[in-house]
Amino acid sequence: MLAPLQSLAPVANADARVLILGSMPGAVSLAQQQYYAHPRNAFWPIMASLYGFTADLPYASRLQQLVANGVALWDVLAHCERQGSLDSAIRNERANDFDSFFAAHPQISVVALNGGKAAQSFQKHVIPHLTSSIPRVLALPSTSPAYAAMPFSQKLQLWQQITGNFSL
């Protein structure tokens, strides 16, 4: 039997405008209790490029930079079972409470889904059960090192959509 996993708490101010959702943190992130802690994950370099900070800032400072720019972090799944860190190994999914989250963060206008599994789980477990209106949803390429098919420059270009400053 696989050990049950629990996602990290959301990082958000009440005035957040963008919500970035992963599926479930990987083993390194869960062990460190930090979003996107794997050193080869492109998430922090992408956020640093988009919001003008250094990717190697201490974790708390990186979170402060995102929050100051109206960005919230969370995961689609509250609980699941998984061996290892691959999204393809996720079983027995249970979503977080998005009705409560959106009620507490009414200015969220964009939900950015980090990778295919986050998009699939949001579509399956969240959208059919939302009682609030659905913000604009962007399915973006995974920042995970497991998704090496797309170069960093292309991921960065697509992720620019969350800032409203993009050219595709």
Side-chain angles (χ1 to χ4, degrees):
M1 183 170 151
L2 300 175
L5 302 176
Q6 181 173 333
S7 68
L8 303 176
V11 174
N13 274 358
D15 64 350
R17 297 175 309 279
V18 175
L19 172 60
I20 297 174
L21 297 172
S23 53
M24 171 64 71
V28 172
S29 293
L30 289 172
Q32 294 183 24
Q33 291 293 289
Q34 294 183 4
Y35 282 99
Y36 306 101
H38 193 287
R40 289 192 338 261
N41 194 301
F43 180 81
W44 289 113
I46 287 173
M47 293 301 113
S49 293
L50 295 180
Y51 294 107
F53 63 91
T54 307
D56 61 0
L57 286 174
Y59 180 68
S61 298
R62 285 180 275 156
L63 292 179
Q64 288 173 347
Q65 290 291 322
L66 289 186
V67 168
N69 282 286
V71 177
L73 291 179
W74 206 17
D75 289 294
V76 175
L77 302 177
H79 300 279
C80 72
E81 294 175 352
R82 178 186 64 209
Q83 183 173 358
S85 293
L86 294 178
D87 281 350
S88 60
I90 291 176
R91 304 287 181 265
N92 299 322
E93 305 174 16
R94 197 173 97 224
N96 276 307
D97 179 0
F98 285 93
D99 276 324
S100 296
F101 187 86
F102 289 139
H105 303 88
Q107 293 183 52
I108 296 219
S109 60
V110 174
V111 174
L113 300 167
N114 188 348
K117 180 62 178 178
Q120 175 194 37
S121 296
F122 192 78
Q123 181 72 33
K124 180 179 180 181
H125 299 294
V126 179
I127 289 177
H129 306 288
L130 276 179
T131 58
S132 57
S133 63
I134 300 171
R136 179 177 177 214
V137 177
L138 298 172
L140 295 169
S142 175
T143 61
S144 168
Y147 182 55
M150 183 181 289
F152 177 85
S153 60
Q154 190 175 359
K155 288 181 184 184
L156 176 60
Q157 181 182 24
L158 291 169
W159 273 88
Q160 287 176 351
Q161 295 176 78
I162 68 171
T163 67
N165 302 322
F166 59 94
S167 57
L168 294 178

